[in-house]
Structures are given as structure tokens and as C-alpha cells.
Amino acid sequence: DRVVGHLARETRLLLEQGFAADLVLEALRSIQSKGLHPSTLASEVNALVNGGSQHGGTGLYVDVAAGQS
């Protein structure tokens, strides 16, 4: 299904950029529990890196292609 494929691609990119698997898993659980779109995964990882899950209007993001925040 398209959602699973989207999450798989986002997850792969984050892991390739060096984010810890545990962190990505925590972000996956977070977006699932909040009912967020898969495209928010990188933002949720960034929010966790910066001190907790704060997705929603924080203005924080991770440039997955560049591996930078």
C-alpha cells in the first residue's frame, strides 16, 4: 500500500543519514499515535532530537535529502 511504501522510503532515508534506529522507531510510533501523515516523519525525528515530540507548528524540520536540520 502507498502509505507503507512512503513510510519505508522516509525511514530508509533517515537511517541512511545516520539517525539511530531507536529514534526513528520512536518517531514512527509518535506519528502513528497522533494520526499524522507519513511525510511528517522527518519533522517528528527532528522534534525528538531537539528535546521531545513537539510536532505541530514548531517550524522545525529535517532536510532528509541533505541530512541537516
Side-chain angles (χ1 to χ4, degrees):
D1 128 292
R2 292 177 67 177
V3 172
V4 173
H6 190 164
L7 280 172
R9 284 187 300 278
E10 293 289 325
T11 299
R12 178 182 52 83
L13 289 171
L14 289 164
L15 293 172
E16 286 176 353
Q17 292 301 318
F19 290 99
D22 290 345
L23 179 68
V24 175
L25 181 58
E26 185 178 351
L28 283 165
R29 288 179 177 145
S30 179
I31 66 167
Q32 190 242 353
S33 71
K34 295 176 183 179
L36 298 174
H37 191 274
S39 65
T40 64
L41 180 60
S43 295
E44 194 66 16
V45 167
N46 189 55
L48 291 168
V49 166
N50 286 303
S53 179
Q54 302 170 7
H55 189 275
T58 64
L60 301 174
Y61 68 95
V62 172
D63 184 340
V64 175
Q68 299 174 350
S69 58

Short mmCIF file of all heavy atoms in Angstrom, two decimals:
data_model
loop_
_atom_site.label_atom_id
_atom_site.label_comp_id
_atom_site.label_asym_id
_atom_site.label_seq_id
_atom_site.Cartn_x
_atom_site.Cartn_y
_atom_site.Cartn_z
N ASP A 1 0.83 -1.18 0.00
CA ASP A 1 0.00 0.00 0.00
C ASP A 1 0.88 1.25 0.00
O ASP A 1 2.04 1.21 0.38
CB ASP A 1 -0.98 -0.18 1.16
CG ASP A 1 -1.15 0.87 2.18
OD1 ASP A 1 -0.22 1.11 2.96
OD2 ASP A 1 -2.25 1.41 2.20
N ARG A 2 0.36 2.34 -0.47
CA ARG A 2 1.16 3.55 -0.69
C ARG A 2 1.70 4.14 0.61
O ARG A 2 2.81 4.67 0.64
CB ARG A 2 0.33 4.60 -1.43
CG ARG A 2 0.03 4.17 -2.86
CD ARG A 2 -0.83 5.17 -3.56
NE ARG A 2 -0.08 6.41 -3.73
CZ ARG A 2 -0.55 7.47 -4.36
NH1 ARG A 2 -1.75 7.46 -4.87
NH2 ARG A 2 0.18 8.55 -4.47
N VAL A 3 0.93 4.07 1.68
CA VAL A 3 1.37 4.64 2.96
C VAL A 3 2.57 3.87 3.48
O VAL A 3 3.56 4.46 3.93
CB VAL A 3 0.21 4.63 3.99
CG1 VAL A 3 0.71 5.02 5.37
CG2 VAL A 3 -0.90 5.55 3.54
N VAL A 4 2.51 2.55 3.40
CA VAL A 4 3.63 1.72 3.86
C VAL A 4 4.87 2.02 3.03
O VAL A 4 5.98 2.16 3.57
CB VAL A 4 3.26 0.22 3.81
CG1 VAL A 4 4.46 -0.64 4.12
CG2 VAL A 4 2.12 -0.08 4.78
N GLY A 5 4.71 2.13 1.73
CA GLY A 5 5.84 2.45 0.86
C GLY A 5 6.44 3.81 1.18
O GLY A 5 7.67 3.97 1.21
N HIS A 6 5.58 4.78 1.44
CA HIS A 6 6.05 6.12 1.79
C HIS A 6 6.84 6.09 3.10
O HIS A 6 7.93 6.66 3.20
CB HIS A 6 4.85 7.06 1.89
CG HIS A 6 5.22 8.50 2.01
ND1 HIS A 6 4.31 9.50 1.79
CD2 HIS A 6 6.37 9.14 2.33
CE1 HIS A 6 4.90 10.68 1.96
NE2 HIS A 6 6.15 10.47 2.31
N LEU A 7 6.29 5.42 4.11
CA LEU A 7 7.00 5.31 5.39
C LEU A 7 8.32 4.56 5.24
O LEU A 7 9.32 4.93 5.86
CB LEU A 7 6.12 4.60 6.42
CG LEU A 7 5.07 5.46 7.08
CD1 LEU A 7 4.13 4.62 7.92
CD2 LEU A 7 5.71 6.55 7.94
N ALA A 8 8.33 3.53 4.41
CA ALA A 8 9.57 2.78 4.19
C ALA A 8 10.65 3.66 3.57
O ALA A 8 11.82 3.63 3.99
CB ALA A 8 9.30 1.56 3.30
N ARG A 9 10.28 4.46 2.59
CA ARG A 9 11.25 5.36 1.96
C ARG A 9 11.76 6.41 2.94
O ARG A 9 12.97 6.67 3.03
CB ARG A 9 10.63 6.04 0.73
CG ARG A 9 10.52 5.15 -0.48
CD ARG A 9 10.05 5.90 -1.71
NE ARG A 9 8.74 6.51 -1.56
CZ ARG A 9 7.58 5.88 -1.71
NH1 ARG A 9 7.57 4.60 -2.03
NH2 ARG A 9 6.44 6.52 -1.57
N GLU A 10 10.84 7.02 3.68
CA GLU A 10 11.24 8.04 4.67
C GLU A 10 12.15 7.43 5.73
O GLU A 10 13.16 8.02 6.13
CB GLU A 10 10.00 8.64 5.34
CG GLU A 10 9.13 9.46 4.42
CD GLU A 10 9.74 10.79 4.03
OE1 GLU A 10 10.45 11.40 4.85
OE2 GLU A 10 9.53 11.22 2.88
N THR A 11 11.80 6.24 6.20
CA THR A 11 12.59 5.55 7.22
C THR A 11 13.99 5.25 6.69
O THR A 11 14.99 5.49 7.37
CB THR A 11 11.89 4.26 7.67
OG1 THR A 11 10.62 4.60 8.22
CG2 THR A 11 12.71 3.50 8.70
N ARG A 12 14.06 4.71 5.47
CA ARG A 12 15.37 4.39 4.87
C ARG A 12 16.24 5.63 4.78
O ARG A 12 17.43 5.59 5.13
CB ARG A 12 15.17 3.77 3.48
CG ARG A 12 16.50 3.44 2.78
CD ARG A 12 16.28 2.88 1.38
NE ARG A 12 15.42 3.68 0.54
CZ ARG A 12 15.81 4.75 -0.15
NH1 ARG A 12 17.06 5.17 -0.08
NH2 ARG A 12 14.96 5.41 -0.91
N LEU A 13 15.67 6.73 4.31
CA LEU A 13 16.45 7.96 4.17
C LEU A 13 16.98 8.45 5.53
O LEU A 13 18.15 8.86 5.62
CB LEU A 13 15.61 9.05 3.52
CG LEU A 13 15.30 8.85 2.03
CD1 LEU A 13 14.28 9.88 1.57
CD2 LEU A 13 16.57 8.94 1.21
N LEU A 14 16.15 8.39 6.54
CA LEU A 14 16.59 8.84 7.87
C LEU A 14 17.71 7.95 8.41
O LEU A 14 18.70 8.44 8.97
CB LEU A 14 15.41 8.88 8.84
CG LEU A 14 14.41 9.99 8.56
CD1 LEU A 14 13.10 9.72 9.29
CD2 LEU A 14 14.97 11.34 8.96
N LEU A 15 17.56 6.64 8.23
CA LEU A 15 18.61 5.71 8.70
C LEU A 15 19.90 5.91 7.91
O LEU A 15 20.99 5.88 8.49
CB LEU A 15 18.12 4.27 8.61
CG LEU A 15 16.96 3.91 9.54
CD1 LEU A 15 16.44 2.51 9.23
CD2 LEU A 15 17.37 4.04 11.00
N GLU A 16 19.80 6.14 6.61
CA GLU A 16 20.99 6.39 5.79
C GLU A 16 21.69 7.68 6.20
O GLU A 16 22.90 7.80 6.02
CB GLU A 16 20.61 6.46 4.31
CG GLU A 16 20.30 5.11 3.70
CD GLU A 16 19.84 5.20 2.26
OE1 GLU A 16 19.63 6.33 1.74
OE2 GLU A 16 19.68 4.14 1.65
N GLN A 17 20.94 8.63 6.75
CA GLN A 17 21.53 9.89 7.19
C GLN A 17 22.16 9.76 8.58
O GLN A 17 22.72 10.72 9.10
CB GLN A 17 20.48 11.00 7.19
CG GLN A 17 20.02 11.38 5.81
CD GLN A 17 21.16 11.86 4.93
OE1 GLN A 17 22.02 12.60 5.37
NE2 GLN A 17 21.17 11.42 3.68
N GLY A 18 22.05 8.58 9.19
CA GLY A 18 22.73 8.34 10.45
C GLY A 18 21.88 8.49 11.70
O GLY A 18 22.40 8.42 12.81
N PHE A 19 20.57 8.68 11.55
CA PHE A 19 19.72 8.75 12.72
C PHE A 19 19.59 7.35 13.32
O PHE A 19 19.50 6.36 12.58
CB PHE A 19 18.34 9.31 12.37
CG PHE A 19 18.35 10.77 12.03
CD1 PHE A 19 18.37 11.19 10.72
CD2 PHE A 19 18.38 11.72 13.04
CE1 PHE A 19 18.40 12.54 10.40
CE2 PHE A 19 18.40 13.08 12.73
CZ PHE A 19 18.42 13.48 11.41
N ALA A 20 19.59 7.26 14.64
CA ALA A 20 19.52 5.97 15.32
C ALA A 20 18.18 5.30 15.05
O ALA A 20 17.13 5.96 15.01
CB ALA A 20 19.69 6.16 16.83
N ALA A 21 18.23 3.98 14.88
CA ALA A 21 17.01 3.22 14.61
C ALA A 21 15.98 3.39 15.73
O ALA A 21 14.78 3.50 15.46
CB ALA A 21 17.35 1.74 14.42
N ASP A 22 16.44 3.44 16.97
CA ASP A 22 15.51 3.62 18.10
C ASP A 22 14.79 4.95 18.02
O ASP A 22 13.60 5.04 18.33
CB ASP A 22 16.25 3.53 19.44
CG ASP A 22 16.73 2.13 19.76
OD1 ASP A 22 16.25 1.17 19.11
OD2 ASP A 22 17.56 1.99 20.66
N LEU A 23 15.49 5.98 17.59
CA LEU A 23 14.90 7.31 17.46
C LEU A 23 13.85 7.32 16.35
O LEU A 23 12.75 7.86 16.51
CB LEU A 23 15.98 8.35 17.17
CG LEU A 23 15.51 9.78 16.99
CD1 LEU A 23 14.98 10.34 18.31
CD2 LEU A 23 16.65 10.64 16.47
N VAL A 24 14.17 6.71 15.22
CA VAL A 24 13.24 6.65 14.10
C VAL A 24 12.00 5.83 14.50
O VAL A 24 10.87 6.22 14.19
CB VAL A 24 13.91 6.06 12.84
CG1 VAL A 24 12.91 5.89 11.70
CG2 VAL A 24 15.07 6.96 12.40
N LEU A 25 12.21 4.74 15.23
CA LEU A 25 11.09 3.94 15.69
C LEU A 25 10.19 4.73 16.64
O LEU A 25 8.96 4.68 16.53
CB LEU A 25 11.59 2.67 16.38
CG LEU A 25 10.52 1.72 16.91
CD1 LEU A 25 9.59 1.26 15.79
CD2 LEU A 25 11.18 0.53 17.59
N GLU A 26 10.79 5.49 17.53
CA GLU A 26 10.01 6.34 18.43
C GLU A 26 9.18 7.36 17.64
O GLU A 26 8.02 7.60 17.94
CB GLU A 26 10.93 7.04 19.42
CG GLU A 26 10.20 7.85 20.46
CD GLU A 26 11.12 8.52 21.48
OE1 GLU A 26 12.33 8.23 21.49
OE2 GLU A 26 10.60 9.34 22.25
N ALA A 27 9.79 7.94 16.62
CA ALA A 27 9.08 8.90 15.78
C ALA A 27 7.94 8.23 15.01
O ALA A 27 6.86 8.80 14.87
CB ALA A 27 10.04 9.59 14.82
N LEU A 28 8.18 7.01 14.51
CA LEU A 28 7.13 6.27 13.82
C LEU A 28 5.95 6.01 14.75
O LEU A 28 4.78 6.20 14.36
CB LEU A 28 7.66 4.93 13.29
CG LEU A 28 8.52 4.99 12.03
CD1 LEU A 28 9.27 3.69 11.84
CD2 LEU A 28 7.65 5.31 10.83
N ARG A 29 6.24 5.61 15.97
CA ARG A 29 5.17 5.37 16.94
C ARG A 29 4.42 6.67 17.26
O ARG A 29 3.20 6.67 17.42
CB ARG A 29 5.74 4.77 18.22
CG ARG A 29 6.18 3.34 18.03
CD ARG A 29 6.77 2.77 19.30
NE ARG A 29 7.11 1.36 19.12
CZ ARG A 29 8.13 0.77 19.68
NH1 ARG A 29 8.92 1.44 20.50
NH2 ARG A 29 8.38 -0.49 19.47
N SER A 30 5.17 7.75 17.34
CA SER A 30 4.56 9.03 17.66
C SER A 30 3.61 9.51 16.57
O SER A 30 2.49 9.91 16.85
CB SER A 30 5.66 10.08 17.89
OG SER A 30 5.11 11.33 18.18
N ILE A 31 4.05 9.45 15.30
CA ILE A 31 3.17 9.91 14.24
C ILE A 31 1.96 9.00 14.09
O ILE A 31 0.87 9.45 13.76
CB ILE A 31 3.88 10.13 12.88
CG1 ILE A 31 4.39 8.84 12.29
CG2 ILE A 31 4.99 11.15 12.99
CD1 ILE A 31 4.82 8.96 10.83
N GLN A 32 2.15 7.70 14.39
CA GLN A 32 1.02 6.78 14.32
C GLN A 32 0.01 7.09 15.41
O GLN A 32 -1.19 7.16 15.16
CB GLN A 32 1.50 5.34 14.43
CG GLN A 32 0.41 4.34 14.13
CD GLN A 32 0.09 3.44 15.30
OE1 GLN A 32 0.76 3.45 16.32
NE2 GLN A 32 -0.96 2.67 15.15
N SER A 33 0.49 7.34 16.62
CA SER A 33 -0.43 7.61 17.72
C SER A 33 -1.16 8.94 17.54
O SER A 33 -2.29 9.11 18.02
CB SER A 33 0.29 7.60 19.06
OG SER A 33 1.13 8.73 19.20
N LYS A 34 -0.53 9.88 16.84
CA LYS A 34 -1.14 11.19 16.59
C LYS A 34 -1.96 11.22 15.31
O LYS A 34 -2.64 12.21 15.02
CB LYS A 34 -0.05 12.27 16.48
CG LYS A 34 0.72 12.48 17.76
CD LYS A 34 1.83 13.48 17.52
CE LYS A 34 2.68 13.68 18.77
NZ LYS A 34 3.78 14.63 18.52
N GLY A 35 -1.87 10.14 14.51
CA GLY A 35 -2.61 10.10 13.26
C GLY A 35 -2.05 11.04 12.21
O GLY A 35 -2.80 11.53 11.37
N LEU A 36 -0.73 11.28 12.25
CA LEU A 36 -0.11 12.22 11.31
C LEU A 36 0.22 11.54 9.98
O LEU A 36 0.37 10.32 9.90
CB LEU A 36 1.16 12.81 11.92
CG LEU A 36 0.98 13.61 13.20
CD1 LEU A 36 2.33 14.01 13.77
CD2 LEU A 36 0.13 14.83 12.94
N HIS A 37 0.38 12.34 8.96
CA HIS A 37 0.74 11.87 7.62
C HIS A 37 2.18 11.36 7.63
O HIS A 37 3.03 11.91 8.35
CB HIS A 37 0.59 13.04 6.64
CG HIS A 37 0.69 12.62 5.21
ND1 HIS A 37 1.89 12.50 4.56
CD2 HIS A 37 -0.28 12.27 4.32
CE1 HIS A 37 1.67 12.11 3.32
NE2 HIS A 37 0.36 11.97 3.16
N PRO A 38 2.51 10.34 6.83
CA PRO A 38 3.87 9.82 6.78
C PRO A 38 4.94 10.87 6.45
O PRO A 38 6.08 10.75 6.88
CB PRO A 38 3.82 8.76 5.67
CG PRO A 38 2.40 8.32 5.65
CD PRO A 38 1.60 9.54 6.01
N SER A 39 4.56 11.91 5.73
CA SER A 39 5.54 12.93 5.37
C SER A 39 6.02 13.72 6.58
O SER A 39 6.99 14.47 6.48
CB SER A 39 4.96 13.89 4.32
OG SER A 39 3.88 14.61 4.87
N THR A 40 5.38 13.56 7.73
CA THR A 40 5.80 14.27 8.94
C THR A 40 6.88 13.51 9.72
O THR A 40 7.35 14.01 10.74
CB THR A 40 4.61 14.54 9.87
OG1 THR A 40 4.07 13.30 10.32
CG2 THR A 40 3.54 15.36 9.18
N LEU A 41 7.28 12.33 9.24
CA LEU A 41 8.25 11.52 9.99
C LEU A 41 9.55 12.27 10.25
O LEU A 41 10.04 12.29 11.38
CB LEU A 41 8.53 10.21 9.26
CG LEU A 41 9.53 9.28 9.94
CD1 LEU A 41 9.05 8.88 11.34
CD2 LEU A 41 9.79 8.05 9.08
N ALA A 42 10.12 12.89 9.23
CA ALA A 42 11.39 13.61 9.42
C ALA A 42 11.23 14.74 10.42
O ALA A 42 12.12 14.97 11.25
CB ALA A 42 11.89 14.14 8.09
N SER A 43 10.11 15.43 10.39
CA SER A 43 9.87 16.50 11.35
C SER A 43 9.75 15.97 12.76
O SER A 43 10.23 16.59 13.72
CB SER A 43 8.59 17.27 10.99
OG SER A 43 8.75 17.93 9.76
N GLU A 44 9.12 14.83 12.90
CA GLU A 44 8.97 14.23 14.23
C GLU A 44 10.32 13.76 14.77
O GLU A 44 10.62 13.94 15.95
CB GLU A 44 7.97 13.08 14.18
CG GLU A 44 7.51 12.61 15.53
CD GLU A 44 6.67 13.63 16.29
OE1 GLU A 44 6.18 14.61 15.70
OE2 GLU A 44 6.51 13.44 17.50
N VAL A 45 11.17 13.20 13.91
CA VAL A 45 12.52 12.83 14.32
C VAL A 45 13.27 14.08 14.80
O VAL A 45 13.90 14.07 15.85
CB VAL A 45 13.29 12.14 13.17
CG1 VAL A 45 14.78 12.03 13.48
CG2 VAL A 45 12.71 10.76 12.90
N ASN A 46 13.17 15.14 14.04
CA ASN A 46 13.84 16.38 14.42
C ASN A 46 13.32 16.90 15.76
O ASN A 46 14.10 17.34 16.60
CB ASN A 46 13.64 17.43 13.33
CG ASN A 46 14.50 18.65 13.56
OD1 ASN A 46 15.71 18.54 13.70
ND2 ASN A 46 13.87 19.81 13.63
N ALA A 47 12.03 16.85 15.96
CA ALA A 47 11.46 17.30 17.23
C ALA A 47 11.99 16.47 18.39
O ALA A 47 12.31 17.01 19.46
CB ALA A 47 9.94 17.24 17.18
N LEU A 48 12.12 15.16 18.19
CA LEU A 48 12.65 14.30 19.24
C LEU A 48 14.12 14.60 19.52
O LEU A 48 14.55 14.62 20.67
CB LEU A 48 12.46 12.83 18.86
CG LEU A 48 11.01 12.34 18.86
CD1 LEU A 48 10.91 10.98 18.20
CD2 LEU A 48 10.47 12.31 20.27
N VAL A 49 14.88 14.85 18.47
CA VAL A 49 16.29 15.20 18.64
C VAL A 49 16.44 16.50 19.43
O VAL A 49 17.34 16.65 20.25
CB VAL A 49 16.99 15.34 17.26
CG1 VAL A 49 18.33 16.02 17.37
CG2 VAL A 49 17.13 13.97 16.60
N ASN A 50 15.49 17.41 19.23
CA ASN A 50 15.55 18.72 19.87
C ASN A 50 14.80 18.78 21.20
O ASN A 50 14.44 19.86 21.66
CB ASN A 50 15.01 19.79 18.92
CG ASN A 50 16.00 20.07 17.82
OD1 ASN A 50 17.13 20.42 18.08
ND2 ASN A 50 15.56 19.88 16.58
N GLY A 51 14.55 17.64 21.80
CA GLY A 51 14.02 17.66 23.16
C GLY A 51 12.62 17.18 23.36
O GLY A 51 11.97 17.59 24.31
N GLY A 52 12.13 16.35 22.51
CA GLY A 52 10.81 15.78 22.74
C GLY A 52 9.91 15.96 21.56
O GLY A 52 10.17 16.74 20.67
N SER A 53 8.84 15.19 21.58
CA SER A 53 7.88 15.23 20.48
C SER A 53 7.07 16.51 20.58
O SER A 53 6.30 16.70 21.50
CB SER A 53 6.96 14.01 20.55
OG SER A 53 6.04 14.06 19.52
N GLN A 54 7.27 17.40 19.62
CA GLN A 54 6.59 18.68 19.63
C GLN A 54 6.03 19.01 18.27
O GLN A 54 5.91 20.16 17.90
CB GLN A 54 7.56 19.78 20.04
CG GLN A 54 8.19 19.56 21.38
CD GLN A 54 9.31 20.55 21.63
OE1 GLN A 54 9.54 21.46 20.87
NE2 GLN A 54 10.03 20.35 22.71
N HIS A 55 5.71 17.99 17.47
CA HIS A 55 5.25 18.26 16.12
C HIS A 55 3.98 19.10 16.13
O HIS A 55 3.11 18.90 16.95
CB HIS A 55 4.99 16.97 15.35
CG HIS A 55 4.74 17.22 13.91
ND1 HIS A 55 3.50 17.54 13.43
CD2 HIS A 55 5.57 17.28 12.86
CE1 HIS A 55 3.58 17.76 12.14
NE2 HIS A 55 4.83 17.60 11.77
N GLY A 56 3.93 20.01 15.23
CA GLY A 56 2.75 20.83 15.09
C GLY A 56 3.05 22.28 15.35
O GLY A 56 3.00 22.75 16.46
N GLY A 57 3.45 23.00 14.32
CA GLY A 57 3.66 24.43 14.44
C GLY A 57 4.98 24.85 15.05
O GLY A 57 5.15 25.99 15.41
N THR A 58 5.93 23.91 15.15
CA THR A 58 7.21 24.27 15.75
C THR A 58 8.12 25.01 14.78
O THR A 58 9.04 25.69 15.20
CB THR A 58 7.97 23.02 16.25
OG1 THR A 58 8.28 22.20 15.13
CG2 THR A 58 7.16 22.27 17.28
N GLY A 59 7.88 24.81 13.49
CA GLY A 59 8.74 25.42 12.49
C GLY A 59 10.05 24.66 12.32
O GLY A 59 10.90 25.06 11.55
N LEU A 60 10.21 23.55 13.01
CA LEU A 60 11.42 22.74 12.90
C LEU A 60 11.24 21.72 11.79
O LEU A 60 10.15 21.22 11.56
CB LEU A 60 11.68 22.01 14.22
CG LEU A 60 11.85 22.90 15.44
CD1 LEU A 60 11.95 22.03 16.68
CD2 LEU A 60 13.07 23.77 15.31
N TYR A 61 12.33 21.40 11.12
CA TYR A 61 12.27 20.39 10.09
C TYR A 61 13.64 19.78 9.90
O TYR A 61 14.65 20.32 10.32
CB TYR A 61 11.77 20.96 8.77
CG TYR A 61 12.75 21.92 8.13
CD1 TYR A 61 13.65 21.47 7.18
CD2 TYR A 61 12.80 23.25 8.51
CE1 TYR A 61 14.57 22.34 6.61
CE2 TYR A 61 13.71 24.12 7.94
CZ TYR A 61 14.58 23.66 6.99
OH TYR A 61 15.48 24.52 6.45
N VAL A 62 13.66 18.62 9.28
CA VAL A 62 14.90 17.97 8.88
C VAL A 62 14.89 17.89 7.37
O VAL A 62 13.90 17.42 6.78
CB VAL A 62 15.00 16.53 9.47
CG1 VAL A 62 16.19 15.80 8.91
CG2 VAL A 62 15.08 16.59 10.97
N ASP A 63 15.94 18.36 6.74
CA ASP A 63 16.08 18.22 5.30
C ASP A 63 16.63 16.83 5.07
O ASP A 63 17.82 16.59 5.18
CB ASP A 63 17.02 19.29 4.76
CG ASP A 63 17.14 19.25 3.25
OD1 ASP A 63 16.81 18.19 2.65
OD2 ASP A 63 17.57 20.24 2.67
N VAL A 64 15.74 15.87 4.79
CA VAL A 64 16.12 14.48 4.68
C VAL A 64 17.16 14.26 3.59
O VAL A 64 18.12 13.53 3.76
CB VAL A 64 14.88 13.59 4.43
CG1 VAL A 64 15.27 12.14 4.19
CG2 VAL A 64 13.93 13.67 5.61
N ALA A 65 17.02 14.94 2.47
CA ALA A 65 17.95 14.77 1.36
C ALA A 65 19.35 15.24 1.74
O ALA A 65 20.34 14.64 1.35
CB ALA A 65 17.46 15.53 0.13
N ALA A 66 19.45 16.30 2.52
CA ALA A 66 20.76 16.84 2.90
C ALA A 66 21.21 16.33 4.27
O ALA A 66 22.36 16.50 4.63
CB ALA A 66 20.70 18.37 2.94
N GLY A 67 20.29 15.72 5.03
CA GLY A 67 20.63 15.22 6.34
C GLY A 67 20.90 16.31 7.35
O GLY A 67 21.67 16.16 8.28
N GLN A 68 20.29 17.47 7.16
CA GLN A 68 20.53 18.61 8.03
C GLN A 68 19.22 19.11 8.60
O GLN A 68 18.17 18.93 8.02
CB GLN A 68 21.19 19.75 7.25
CG GLN A 68 22.52 19.37 6.67
CD GLN A 68 23.07 20.47 5.79
OE1 GLN A 68 22.39 21.43 5.47
NE2 GLN A 68 24.31 20.32 5.38
N SER A 69 19.35 19.77 9.75
CA SER A 69 18.15 20.40 10.33
C SER A 69 18.29 21.89 10.27
O SER A 69 19.34 22.43 10.00
CB SER A 69 17.97 19.95 11.77
OG SER A 69 19.09 20.26 12.54
#
